[in-house]
Amino acid sequence: MEKNCLECGEKIIGREDKKFCGDGCRNAFNNKMNKDSNNYMRNTNNKLRRNYRILAELNAEGKSKTTRFKLLNKGFDFDYLTTIRTTKNGNTYYFIYDQGYMAIENDFYVLVKKDI
């Protein structure tokens, strides 16, 4: 049985379960499949990525403290997050993936990293 590449349609030579003629076609196909489908998704994902990078930069040790001013100055957007967790003590942590923050007194924030 002859199979054709899912990306370019060329005849595939090699293993029976092969789907692409080479790495270039495999990468092109997967990039098309995984690209953000519209501007809203792309913009949201970009804001989440930026927030994550800011928290990771300020929280290199896994637990640290910073100010609201410093977060805002670096471009952090408090409207974009992935998870909200409330502890048994009633503390609320806001997470962007595994990087989190919690508001404490006087516009300070404690930054944490969740163990995955």
Side-chain angles (χ1 to χ4, degrees):
M1 182 174 145
E2 185 177 303
K3 289 183 76 177
N4 294 332
C5 176
L6 295 177
E7 177 64 18
C8 68
E10 292 289 317
K11 181 181 174 189
I12 296 177
I13 300 170
R15 292 189 344 241
E16 187 177 306
D17 62 341
K18 212 169 167 185
K19 296 179 182 180
F20 304 99
C21 62
D23 288 339
C25 280
R26 180 179 46 83
N27 288 335
F29 181 85
N30 286 322
N31 286 341
K32 282 183 202 170
M33 294 301 291
N34 293 325
K35 86 174 187 183
D36 295 331
S37 61
N38 60 45
N39 282 338
Y40 182 73
M41 274 181 63
R42 184 175 23 265
N43 292 338
T44 299
N45 288 334
N46 287 338
K47 288 177 184 179
L48 287 170
R49 262 191 296 277
R50 182 182 325 116
N51 280 355
Y52 184 86
R53 280 193 300 268
I54 292 167
L55 290 179
E57 175 189 331
L58 294 173
N59 188 23
E61 301 297 317
K63 187 169 187 180
S64 60
K65 225 165 109 170
T66 191
T67 63
R68 180 177 183 85
F69 176 77
K70 192 179 281 189
L71 288 168
L72 291 172
N73 199 35
K74 289 186 173 286
F76 192 83
D77 189 336
F78 286 92
D79 292 333
Y80 291 87
L81 51 101
T82 57
T83 311
I84 300 173
R85 296 230 171 156
T86 304
T87 65
K88 292 176 186 175
N89 299 340
N91 296 329
T92 302
Y93 286 87
Y94 301 91
F95 282 90
I96 295 93
Y97 306 112
D98 64 335
Q99 294 286 344
Y101 61 93
M102 178 183 69
I104 53 178
E105 74 281 340
N106 299 330
D107 275 347
F108 276 87
Y109 287 85
V110 64
L111 306 180
V112 296
K113 183 173 182 179
K114 184 171 29 174
D115 290 331
I116 301 176

